[in-house]
């Protein structure tokens, strides 16, 4: 028989052989016993069990021979022919007369093989992996019964080999499982991963030791308690999600159960748990029986996620709601990568159109050198600007912008530029208006200065002439008194002298004011309020008597006003004379003057109150202090007094307030500083 027929399916057969242990150190007792049975059945001196690999025959067990070598080249073996004859027993009655073997080294050498009978060992997959053979040194024959018994014995040998193979595989698998279990324990312990086993049908939960460290609960805390109790520790807002994920896995929609949820720690705080699990045992109708899985504490990770999300939302809000335009550009190309709505709005582009532009598309050519300088600054110090230029709108018109930005890098290391762009159109418009207004103000100032100069000259002449006339009146009164000594005791003449003296003082003050205005200085000084009020009452004493108006002044002696004495006298005299002029004929009239310090506002608050005709503030309030505005019919009303009074008060850095009711009376409150400012 040609050996070519042996190799039609040999690669697959060799692969099967390699599943069995080919080592020579086995020689199990059961295989040796089966070998002796083969020799007994065939009435031979020896028998052996072998496996035939790709190039080698491996002797697994022998009877009746001692072999120093347990492996032989396959090409010289009788068994090489046996594995090709799957159906029958291969019998060589006298190898010396057989053309296939007469020159074989096992036939011609010492201890020759003359008789050979062998059957293939066929595994459960139908491949001949080896042989069971009986040999003798003299010729022989086998009866049909012997052949049948040898075949049955070969089945038993194959079962023994298969049992050994499976035993070895199980041992290897067991060793592997032990190693994997150790690795698993190391991993779960090293990563602080808790494991759980859930007997679903029995509603029983078991955890490893890590769960105690993770959750704070003792291991026996859940003993005898099922999934319902466990769910009671899940955050109420997460229970539905956990149940839905379980259902998805139980129904086959998801291969594994995976969920993140909040769990109540033994201390009462909420921790985040990441849980993964899988049902490994299923019952009838695909009902889950047992599930295994892992729990990990991911609280720190979730906190970081929430913090990151919060910051991202905050940045997004600031980005979108920013009053400035914000853009992210590619450093190399200038292309816009990100823009907010504020940047796009003035340009006339849609956001989709704008994002396809570069900043060169918006920049007029005359800014090329300036742009180059800003890029150089960006490369040198990491930022550019502030820098003004213009942007080109979609319609070709331009508008001014103020830019500043910083250099940054993306995740791949590419350079990016964050820019903040302010539309300064309104600012530029306001600056232009301001410049125009300043020009007009400067022109008005020049005109006013010229007019003031002429007015000062006029006031100087008037004050000089009045002083001349006042001096003349005083001199005449002195001449009159010298001629008529009795007038010194006359009350009317005394008032006339006081009025003349006050007139002289007023003219002198007017002359001082003119001199101050001419020199450009405000000659403020501390003026005693009580003295000033007393002098002014003395000046109008005759009017008070003739009009039957009582006056009362409650002024502390230490109160002083920081301002112009002449202005203060004018203010006091104006309010007193107004109280006289606009008295009521229906009742006895009075004027009350009070003063007190406001230490918080650092002012002296002077109150002038009368019970005269009053003013309808609803009707005249807005015009009360206007020039030439009168509110009662009176022969002496000129509409100048309140205007001058308000001007004088404001000149001394004060303010004036009024309260009034028709036919009840009026109260003016003058607030003047009592310290230098």
């Amino acid at each position: 028989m040609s050996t070519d027929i042996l190799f039609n399916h040999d690669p697959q057969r060799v692969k099967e052989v390699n599943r069995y242990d080919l080592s020579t150190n086995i020689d199990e007792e059961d295989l040796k016993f089966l070998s002796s049975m083969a020799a007994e059945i065939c009435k031979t001196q020896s028998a052996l069990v072998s496996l035939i690999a790709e190039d080698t025959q491996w002797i697994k067990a022998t009877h009746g021979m001692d072999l120093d070598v347990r492996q032989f080249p396959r090409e010289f073996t009788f068994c090489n022919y046996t594995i090709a004859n799957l159906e029958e027993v291969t019998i060589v009655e006298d190898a010396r007369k057989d053309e296939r073997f007469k020159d074989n080294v096992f036939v011609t050498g010492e201890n020759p093989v003359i008789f050979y009978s062998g059957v293939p060992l066929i595994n459960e997959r139908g491949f001949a992996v080896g042989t069971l053979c009986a040999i003798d040194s003299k010729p022989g024959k086998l009866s049909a019964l012997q052949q049948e018994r040898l075949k049955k014995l070969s089945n038993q040998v194959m079962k023994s080999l298969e049992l050994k193979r499976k035993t070895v595989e199980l041992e290897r698998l067991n060793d592997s499982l032990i190693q994997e279990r150790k690795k698993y324990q190391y991993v779960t312990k090293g990563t602080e991963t808790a494991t759980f086993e859930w007997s679903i049908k029995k509603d029983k939960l078991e955890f490893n030791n890590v769960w105690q460290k993770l959750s704070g609960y003792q291991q026996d805390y859940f003993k005898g308690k099922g999934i319902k109790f466990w769910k009671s520790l899940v955050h109420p807002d997460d229970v539905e999600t956990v149940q839905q994920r379980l259902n998805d896995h139980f129904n086959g929609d998801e291969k594994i159960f995976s969920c993140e949820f909040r769990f109540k720690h033994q201390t009462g705080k909420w921790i985040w748990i990441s849980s993964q699990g899988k049902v490994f045992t299923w019952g009838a109708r695909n009902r889950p029986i047992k599930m295994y899985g892992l729990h990990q504490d991911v609280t720190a990770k979730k906190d970081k996620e929430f913090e990151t999300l919060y910051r991202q939302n905050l940045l997004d809000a600031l980005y979108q709601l920013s009053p400035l335009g914000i853009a992210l550009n590619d450093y190399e190309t200038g292309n816009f990568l990100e823009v907010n709505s504020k940047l796009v709005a003035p340009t006339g582009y849609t956001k989709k159109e704008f994002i396809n532009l570069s900043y060169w598309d918006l920049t007029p050519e005359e800014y090329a050198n300036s742009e180059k300088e800003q890029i150089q600054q960006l490369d040198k110090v990491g930022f550019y600007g502030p820098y003004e230029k213009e942007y080109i709108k979609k319609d070709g018109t331009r508008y001014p912008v103020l830019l500043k930005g910083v250099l940054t890098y993306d995740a791949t290391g590419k350079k990016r530029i964050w820019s903040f762009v302010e539309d300064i159109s309104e600012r530029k418009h306001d600056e232009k208006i301001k410049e125009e207004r300043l020009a007009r103000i400067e022109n008005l100032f020049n005109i006013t200065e010229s007019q003031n100069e002429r007015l000062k000259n006029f006031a100087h002449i008037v004050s000089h002439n009045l002083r001349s006339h006042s001096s003349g009146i005083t001199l005449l009164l002195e001449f009159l008194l010298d001629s008529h000594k009795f007038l010194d005791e006359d009350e009317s003449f005394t008032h006339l002298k006081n009025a003349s003296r006050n007139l002289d003082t007023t003219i002198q003050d007017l002359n001082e004011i003119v001199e101050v205005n001419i020199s450009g200085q405000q000659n403020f000084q501390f003026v005693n309020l009580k003295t000033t009020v007393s002098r002014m009452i003395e000046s109008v004493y005759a009017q008070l008597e003739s009009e039957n108006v009582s006056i009362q002044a409650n002024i502390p002696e230490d109160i002083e006003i920081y301002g112009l004495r002449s202005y203060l006298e004018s203010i006091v005299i104006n309010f007193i004379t107004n109280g006289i002029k606009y008295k009521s004929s229906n009742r006895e009239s009075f004027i009350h003057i009070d003063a007190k310090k406001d230490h918080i506002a650092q002012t002296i608050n002077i109150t002038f109150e009368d019970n005269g005709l009053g003013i309808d503030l609803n009707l005249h309030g807005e015009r009360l202090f206007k020039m030439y505005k009168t509110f009662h019919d009176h022969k002496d009303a000129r509409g100048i007094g309140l205007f001058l009074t308000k001007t004088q008060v404001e000149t001394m850095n004060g303010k004036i307030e009024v309260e009034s009711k028709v036919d009840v009376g009026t109260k003016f409150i003058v607030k003047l500083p009592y310290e230098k400012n």
Side-chain angles (χ1 to χ4, degrees):
M1 179 185 296
S2 172
T3 58
D4 293 341
I5 64 172
L6 303 178
F7 303 104
N8 291 337
H9 302 289
D10 205 58
Q12 296 92 323
R13 189 198 66 79
V14 170
K15 187 176 180 180
E16 285 295 311
V17 173
N18 290 332
R19 294 174 61 211
Y20 301 87
D21 191 350
L22 300 180
S23 63
T24 59
N25 59 349
I26 298 178
D27 206 15
E28 289 87 353
E29 290 298 323
D30 55 346
L31 289 181
K32 290 182 68 174
F33 173 74
L34 294 173
S35 298
S36 65
M37 289 293 294
E40 180 67 26
I41 291 171
C42 297
K43 305 300 182 182
T44 59
Q45 297 170 340
S46 305
L48 56 89
V49 176
S50 66
L51 295 175
I52 311 298
E54 182 177 9
D55 300 313
T56 306
Q57 178 183 22
W58 296 88
I59 308 302
K60 305 302 296 177
T62 62
H63 170 74
M65 64 176 67
D66 293 322
L67 298 177
D68 295 329
V69 178
R70 289 288 187 121
Q71 59 190 67
F72 301 98
R74 173 181 169 182
E75 59 183 310
F76 299 118
T77 64
F78 285 65
C79 295
N80 196 28
Y81 288 86
T82 303
I83 60 174
N85 186 11
L86 301 183
E87 302 297 333
E88 302 295 335
V89 177
T90 299
I91 299 174
V92 179
E93 293 181 352
D94 189 343
R96 294 170 298 182
K97 299 178 181 180
D98 193 309
E99 292 296 327
R100 296 172 296 175
F101 304 111
K102 65 180 182 179
D103 296 322
N104 191 293
V105 293
F106 292 112
V107 176
T108 60
E110 187 179 357
N111 299 319
V113 176
I114 304 300
F115 174 77
Y116 173 88
S117 60
V119 290
L121 300 175
I122 301 172
N123 70 2
E124 56 190 8
R125 298 181 180 180
F127 289 95
V129 297
T131 62
L132 170 64
C133 62
I135 58 178
D136 206 317
S137 58
K138 56 182 184 297
K141 292 183 179 181
L142 286 184
S143 65
L145 179 60
Q146 287 176 307
Q147 293 181 39
E148 184 64 28
R149 287 178 177 176
L150 190 60
K151 285 181 180 180
K152 289 181 178 180
L153 187 61
S154 71
N155 291 336
Q156 190 62 38
V157 172
M158 191 66 242
K159 288 178 181 179
S160 180
L161 288 172
E162 196 68 35
L163 178 61
K164 178 60 180 176
R165 180 187 67 78
K166 290 181 179 180
T167 300
V168 171
E169 286 184 355
L170 286 174
E171 288 175 351
R172 289 174 179 171
L173 180 60
N174 186 54
D175 290 341
S176 178
L177 287 174
I178 291 173
Q179 293 300 318
E180 288 299 320
R181 185 174 182 179
K182 287 181 179 179
K183 289 180 183 179
Y184 178 73
Q185 289 173 342
Y186 295 150
V187 169
T188 55
K189 186 176 181 180
T191 59
E192 295 188 347
T193 302
T195 62
F196 69 87
E197 177 183 333
W198 180 20
S199 298
I200 302 170
K201 190 174 182 180
K202 296 179 180 179
D203 194 19
K204 180 182 178 183
L205 280 168
E206 293 182 8
F207 299 92
N208 69 347
N209 294 333
V210 180
W211 175 249
Q212 178 179 338
K213 182 178 180 181
L214 186 150
S215 67
Y217 296 102
Q218 295 293 331
Q219 222 174 359
D220 60 353
Y221 184 75
F222 291 91
K223 190 174 183 179
K225 299 171 183 176
I227 193 66
K228 185 176 181 180
F229 177 75
W230 184 86
K231 284 183 180 179
S232 69
L233 298 175
V234 175
H235 195 285
D237 293 344
D238 298 338
V239 171
E240 185 176 348
T241 301
V242 174
Q243 187 61 57
Q244 183 60 51
R245 298 289 176 82
L246 280 171
N247 292 340
D248 291 341
H249 178 52
F250 291 166
N251 297 334
D253 297 329
E254 296 291 342
K255 291 184 178 180
I256 63 170
F257 162 75
S258 180
C259 188
E260 290 184 349
F261 53 88
R262 285 161 290 181
F263 191 83
K264 195 170 188 179
H265 192 271
Q266 186 269 337
T267 59
K269 69 178 182 179
W270 294 102
I271 61 174
W272 277 93
I273 298 293
S274 175
S275 181
Q276 289 81 37
K278 186 175 183 179
V279 175
F280 284 87
T281 305
W282 299 87
R285 299 179 182 178
N286 287 328
R287 290 182 178 177
I289 301 298
K290 185 164 286 190
M291 181 177 183
Y292 297 91
L294 308 172
H295 287 324
Q296 274 190 307
D297 183 351
V298 292
T299 305
K301 179 178 78 74
K302 296 296 288 188
D303 288 344
K304 288 181 180 179
E305 288 178 1
F306 291 139
E307 178 68 17
T308 301
L309 181 62
Y310 166 75
R311 293 183 179 276
Q312 184 62 48
N313 290 338
L314 182 61
L315 287 175
D316 289 344
L318 293 175
Y319 182 73
Q320 294 302 330
L321 299 176
S322 170
L324 300 177
I326 302 176
L328 179 66
N329 295 87
D330 181 78
Y331 177 89
E332 301 296 337
T333 64
N335 292 337
F336 286 101
L337 305 175
E338 290 284 347
V339 294
N340 68 346
S341 301
K342 189 69 176 180
L343 178 63
V344 178
T347 65
Y349 291 100
T350 65
K351 191 170 183 179
K352 185 176 181 181
E353 292 170 334
F354 194 94
I355 205 69
N356 291 317
L357 303 174
S358 77
Y359 61 72
W360 297 113
D361 296 321
L362 302 179
T363 303
E365 293 181 0
E366 59 263 33
Y367 290 95
N369 290 333
S370 299
E371 287 288 316
K372 185 177 179 181
E373 292 175 0
Q374 298 301 316
I375 292 296
Q376 289 174 347
Q377 179 186 342
L378 187 70
D379 290 335
K380 185 176 180 180
V381 297
F383 64 88
Y384 75 90
Y387 158 55
E388 286 189 16
K389 71 173 186 180
E390 292 179 306
Y391 268 175
I392 304 172
K393 295 184 180 182
K394 185 177 181 180
D395 62 7
T397 60
R398 301 181 181 186
Y399 68 100
V401 292
L402 177 67
L403 301 97
K404 51 187 174 181
V406 294
L407 181 66
T408 186
Y409 297 86
D410 68 6
T412 64
K414 291 183 178 179
K415 288 184 178 181
R416 301 287 190 245
I417 305 173
W418 275 111
S419 296
F420 302 90
V421 185
E422 181 182 1
D423 179 359
I424 56 174
S425 300
E426 290 187 10
R427 185 194 302 178
K428 289 294 185 182
H429 177 70
D430 292 343
E431 288 177 357
K432 184 177 180 182
I433 292 176
K434 185 178 180 180
E435 289 175 0
E436 293 173 351
R437 288 177 177 173
L438 286 174
R440 289 200 299 271
I441 290 171
E442 186 175 357
N443 184 47
L444 289 172
F445 177 77
N446 293 332
I447 295 172
T448 303
E449 192 175 43
S450 176
Q451 291 175 340
N452 283 344
E453 189 63 34
R454 292 195 295 272
L455 185 60
K456 288 176 185 178
N457 292 334
F458 172 76
H460 182 72
I461 293 169
V462 170
S463 65
H464 181 271
N465 292 342
L466 284 175
R467 182 168 180 78
S468 298
H469 294 306
S470 173
S471 298
I473 292 171
T474 301
L475 187 60
L476 287 173
L477 288 174
E478 289 177 357
F479 288 158
L480 186 61
L481 183 59
D482 288 341
S483 302
H484 302 83
K485 299 294 185 180
F486 65 89
L487 291 176
D488 195 31
E489 297 177 359
D490 186 275
E491 185 177 355
S492 297
F493 187 79
T494 300
H495 290 314
L496 180 60
K497 285 196 302 179
N498 290 336
S500 175
R501 186 169 58 253
N502 289 338
L503 175 61
D504 187 60
T505 301
T506 300
I507 292 172
Q508 182 180 344
D509 290 342
L510 178 60
N511 192 58
E512 290 179 2
I513 291 172
V514 171
E515 292 299 327
V516 170
N517 287 335
I518 290 172
S519 65
Q521 300 175 0
Q522 288 184 320
N523 192 20
F524 282 16
Q525 59 184 324
F526 288 102
V527 182
N528 186 274
L529 181 60
K530 183 177 180 64
T531 301
T532 301
V533 171
S534 297
R535 288 177 56 243
M536 294 304 100
I537 292 175
E538 179 68 26
S539 297
V540 296
Y541 182 79
Q543 286 179 265
L544 291 167
E545 286 293 318
S546 64
E547 296 294 335
N548 196 28
V549 176
S550 66
I551 187 166
Q552 181 180 352
N554 182 23
I555 311 293
E557 293 185 1
D558 62 338
I559 288 184
E560 291 187 335
I561 303 295
Y562 185 70
L564 286 172
R565 184 163 57 86
S566 58
Y567 279 14
L568 183 59
E569 290 176 350
S570 175
I571 293 166
V572 173
I573 201 71
N574 254 319
F575 283 126
I576 293 175
T577 54
N578 279 352
I580 297 171
K581 276 192 289 189
Y582 304 114
K583 71 172 188 172
S584 173
S585 59
N586 298 328
R587 51 187 172 271
E588 292 184 0
S589 299
F590 66 80
I591 299 172
H592 291 166
I593 305 174
D594 296 292
K596 62 180 180 179
K597 279 187 177 182
D598 184 340
H599 293 284
I600 296 177
Q602 293 188 332
T603 59
I604 301 295
N605 297 344
I606 312 169
T607 303
F608 299 89
E609 184 176 5
D610 64 55
N611 63 341
L613 298 176
I615 304 170
D616 187 346
L617 294 179
N618 291 328
L619 183 61
H620 304 297
E622 293 183 359
R623 302 182 298 121
L624 188 61
F625 296 101
K626 301 294 184 182
M627 187 179 288
Y628 303 125
K629 302 298 179 183
T630 59
F631 314 106
H632 301 288
D633 293 330
H634 194 280
K635 62 178 181 176
D636 294 328
R638 295 183 298 133
I640 196 70
L642 288 179
F643 169 76
L644 289 175
T645 299
K646 184 173 185 293
T647 302
Q648 290 165 339
V649 169
E650 290 176 348
T651 299
M652 293 191 295
N653 300 316
K655 62 181 180 178
I656 185 168
E657 299 173 357
V658 60
E659 301 173 7
S660 187
K661 290 185 179 180
V662 176
D663 201 31
V664 174
T666 302
K667 180 193 290 186
F668 288 96
I669 304 171
V670 177
K671 299 181 178 181
L672 294 170
Y674 62 80
E675 290 185 357
K676 293 182 181 180
N677 186 352

